[in-house]
Amino acid sequence: MGRKGSKTDDAGAEVVARADTAAAHLSRLVRIATVTPAAREEFTEAEHQSFEDLHAALHDLYPRTFAAAARDNVGRAGLLLRLAGASAKRPVVLMAHQDVVPVPEDWAGEGWEHPPFAGVIAQGRVHGRGTLDDKGALVCVLDAVESLLADGWAPARDLYLLFGADEESYGDSAIAATALLESRGIVPWLVLDEGGAVATGAFPGLAKEMAVVGATEKGLVTVVLTVDSGGGHASTPPRRSAPGILARALVAIEKNPFPAELNDVSLEMFEGVAPHLRGPLRTVLRRASSMRGVLAQMLPRLGSEMAAMVRTTTAITQLSGSPARNVLATSASATVNMRVAVGTTADAAVEQLRKTIGDKRVQLEVVESDEPSPVSPTGDDERFVAIGAAVAQSYPDAITVPYVMMAASDGRHLARISPAVYRFSPLRMDAEQRAAIHGPNENVEVSALGAGVQFYRALLTGPALGPATR
């Protein structure tokens, strides 16, 4: 404990003040409902206005940053800011996205305790849509840069801040930004986007916080299954209807998950966690490299998060059939969202899905396909070490490990031009908070926002990225 008036007390007060400031900033941004637009369609007038309002708020909250940065508009409402560094070598890109997923009109019926776009601050948390995904991280990035500029800091190398506007609808803001950077010959030395978090309760038997840094991410394939039939009146149904045939295919998909296999990134994660565990699991994971097959079969039994780490997943997300209650469907369709495991390909995943269904009456149409991302360096690589050091400065008790991100991020597009793309949001999240992403009662702790600001400050001033003052 530091004495009253000591540097320790002053530093603690400063962290608390930064947390409160970040919470106020986030509350304001949550109140601007930048709901993700439909994929690759023109903005509606209301959508356009919401992003204009958000940009105006960002200019108001972060005047030093916008005054110091050169700005490019990318995609429909994306922002690419460049803060010129002392050197153009080893440029860094920090990312977040401005858009959020929608909420139903009957949000209270969905279970929200506070209005989703009210930005309520209560019980030490900021509540509302986007607090975790991804306006919380956006605020942490900008609060860190703004406060550093106020301290007289200047980046040692070119720093780019990329804030997409349509990540949730797989839009083209990040694609356009990648093309722009590439046209200028920019090869980012380090890219950091959303992804993992400082997770609690994410690993069986682990009492410590675990900072999981995505070194790669799964591929994304969207497949529409369709069965056609003759239709007609419901009073004379056929022996095999289109919905019935489709239903058998969907049951087959859920009854026959893809084979499980332990990839190298997950292996490194387990070996990093092992020393902090107790009991039999500690012994098993310490020998993970020689027990890949056993672990691949065991981990899916520990829950859906563990299962997703070791296999390609299939999720049935949308269904359609007859337009009326007494009319046979002339066509029935279902959308299957696949997250393709690292080490395989999108084509192989679709072919496996076709074999699982095993019915030529079910037509498969691939409407979207992205391969798993390249694996970024981990271990003792300078960039991964820098992220771990920043975690240590902001969450001293957490362990930092790589992992395979199961969802898709805008960062996957920059993997085409950068050798080191990582996915990590420096926000503490328990199991309930992780479940609230895209669901009701999304919220973030005020203290986690303060730690997130500290993370980016530590990253930007650490040895790898280089401290610099005017």
Side-chain angles (χ1 to χ4, degrees):
M1 295 289 292
R3 296 187 304 275
K4 186 175 181 180
S6 70
K7 290 183 179 180
T8 302
D9 289 335
D10 291 343
E14 190 172 23
V15 170
V16 171
R18 288 196 188 117
D20 291 340
T21 298
H25 290 172
L26 179 57
S27 173
R28 178 172 173 181
L29 298 189
V30 169
R31 294 196 295 271
I32 304 171
T34 47
V35 173
T36 193
R40 295 175 174 82
E41 292 182 6
E42 292 297 322
F43 274 163
T44 66
E45 184 176 344
E47 288 168 345
H48 176 78
Q49 188 59 54
S50 69
F51 283 93
E52 286 290 309
D53 291 346
L54 186 76
H55 295 172
L58 294 178
H59 275 268
D60 184 42
L61 295 174
Y62 306 106
R64 292 183 178 86
T65 301
F66 279 86
R71 169 178 169 174
D72 286 295
N73 298 322
V74 288
R76 291 174 290 185
L79 298 175
L80 178 64
L81 307 179
R82 173 180 173 265
L83 284 81
S87 171
K89 296 180 179 179
R90 305 207 309 182
V92 173
V93 181
L94 301 182
M95 299 175 64
H97 61 86
Q98 310 164 57
D99 59 311
V100 301
V101 296
V103 297
E105 291 185 12
D106 180 24
W107 52 264
E110 191 185 35
W112 286 86
E113 297 175 3
H114 301 282
F117 293 114
V120 171
I121 302 176
Q123 293 84 45
R125 298 175 182 235
V126 185
H127 300 261
R129 176 60 81 226
T131 49
L132 292 176
D133 187 16
D134 185 35
K135 287 180 178 176
L138 185 150
V139 163
C140 289
V141 170
L142 285 170
D143 272 37
V145 172
E146 186 77 6
S147 62
L148 285 170
L149 290 172
D151 292 344
W153 166 88
R157 60 199 79 261
D158 285 357
L159 173 63
Y160 292 87
L161 307 180
L162 173 54
F163 305 132
D166 45 17
E167 189 272 347
E168 297 291 4
S169 53
Y170 310 125
D172 59 4
S173 292
I175 296 172
T178 302
L180 181 60
L181 292 170
E182 187 175 33
S183 71
R184 294 173 177 172
I186 306 300
V187 179
W189 179 71
L190 168 66
V191 176
L192 184 59
D193 193 11
E194 64 167 337
V198 180
T200 62
F203 201 96
L206 180 66
K208 283 179 168 287
E209 296 172 334
M210 182 169 67
V212 286
V213 179
T216 180
E217 64 186 64
K218 285 184 163 184
L220 171 64
V221 178
T222 303
V223 182
V224 175
L225 311 182
T226 304
V227 179
D228 296 323
S229 68
H233 198 281
S235 62
T236 55
R239 186 166 179 269
R240 292 282 184 265
S241 67
I245 295 168
L246 180 63
R248 291 184 65 179
L250 300 181
V251 169
I253 290 170
E254 292 199 336
K255 286 182 66 176
N256 298 279
F258 275 60
E261 185 175 354
L262 188 62
N263 58 66
D264 289 344
V265 177
S266 296
L267 176 65
E268 186 176 347
M269 181 189 73
F270 295 142
E271 291 180 337
V273 168
H276 305 280
L277 300 175
R278 293 181 180 179
L281 196 57
R282 172 188 175 112
T283 303
V284 171
L285 293 187
R286 276 190 160 177
R287 300 171 53 200
S289 60
S290 62
M291 300 183 66
R292 284 180 184 254
V294 173
L295 286 170
Q297 298 304 314
M298 180 185 73
L299 291 170
R301 301 172 188 172
L302 300 179
S304 57
E305 286 184 321
M306 290 295 172
M309 288 184 185
V310 296
R311 62 162 52 111
T312 294
T313 58
T314 53
I316 302 160
T317 57
Q318 294 177 307
L319 296 169
S320 65
S322 170
R325 289 178 291 178
N326 63 345
V327 176
L328 296 174
T330 58
S331 179
S333 65
T335 300
V336 178
N337 184 284
M338 305 177 68
R339 303 303 170 115
V340 182
V342 173
T344 185
T345 66
D347 285 346
V350 173
E351 185 57 30
Q352 178 68 31
L353 184 70
R354 194 185 308 276
K355 290 179 180 178
T356 298
I357 294 169
D359 190 335
K360 293 183 179 180
R361 294 172 296 182
V362 181
Q363 305 165 48
L364 277 68
E365 179 190 4
V366 177
V367 297
E368 182 177 32
S369 180
D370 279 314
E371 299 291 346
S373 297
V375 178
S376 298
T378 58
D380 59 1
D381 183 87
E382 187 177 8
R383 290 157 290 198
F384 189 76
V385 170
I387 293 171
V391 169
Q393 289 291 314
S394 49
Y395 294 92
D397 296 329
I399 59 172
T400 301
V401 293
Y403 91 119
V404 176
M405 182 175 169
M406 274 74 85
S409 73
D410 273 344
R412 72 187 190 278
H413 301 299
L414 277 84
R416 185 167 61 79
I417 64 170
S418 173
V421 178
Y422 302 96
R423 296 102 175 144
F424 176 67
S425 298
L427 299 173
R428 184 188 300 108
M429 300 184 200
D430 61 22
E432 188 174 354
Q433 286 172 303
R434 295 194 298 276
I437 295 175
H438 291 197
N441 295 323
E442 186 178 350
N443 70 83
V444 64
E445 295 174 341
V446 173
S447 62
L449 292 171
V453 175
Q454 179 59 27
F455 170 85
Y456 286 113
R457 284 177 59 93
L459 181 67
L460 290 170
T461 59
L465 275 65
T469 55
R470 294 190 181 93

